Amino acid sequence: MNRHKVTAPGGRCVEVGAHVRFEARTWQASGLVDGRVHLAADDRATGCVLAAHLVAADGFEALGQAAPQIPAATVWAALQLPARERAMAWWDAQAQAEQW
């Protein structure tokens, strides 16, 4: 199982950061650990459900992926060059790791 994405037969899937509808409520997937999806709602409610149960549930719907959190240009420009270079190296390494 991918640490960032769960896919069930039929193509139903959920990724970390995705917004989903489950049990008549909107949640954001905050983590995937040992076959379980950790969920968080806007009202600070949390939940944990087996990934297979989540994607197979009646009424499950993947609503979309959360927008990536990219720092504002002014914050980015305020960083010293070595810090920006480390951040970009980490960003590239993360993107490559997700492709595996």
Side-chain angles (χ1 to χ4, degrees):
M1 177 181 294
N2 185 319
R3 290 181 28 201
H4 301 286
K5 183 176 182 179
V6 175
T7 304
R12 299 177 96 184
C13 71
V14 63
E15 297 180 83
V16 172
H19 293 276
V20 299
R21 177 154 311 277
F22 172 66
E23 294 185 348
R25 190 173 196 169
T26 300
W27 302 89
Q28 183 173 19
S30 59
L32 298 171
V33 180
D34 296 330
R36 291 177 173 80
V37 180
H38 293 265
L39 301 168
D42 287 339
D43 63 358
R44 296 184 182 235
T46 60
C48 181
V49 63
L50 289 172
H53 177 74
L54 175 68
V55 297
D58 288 336
F60 168 80
E61 181 182 3
L63 302 174
Q65 198 56 14
Q69 299 298 313
I70 300 172
T74 54
V75 174
W76 185 254
L79 293 174
Q80 294 180 359
L81 184 59
R84 283 187 278 175
E85 289 173 341
R86 285 192 307 274
M88 288 305 296
W90 177 86
W91 190 278
D92 290 341
Q94 182 70 22
Q96 289 175 5
E98 288 178 357
Q99 291 178 352
W100 292 99

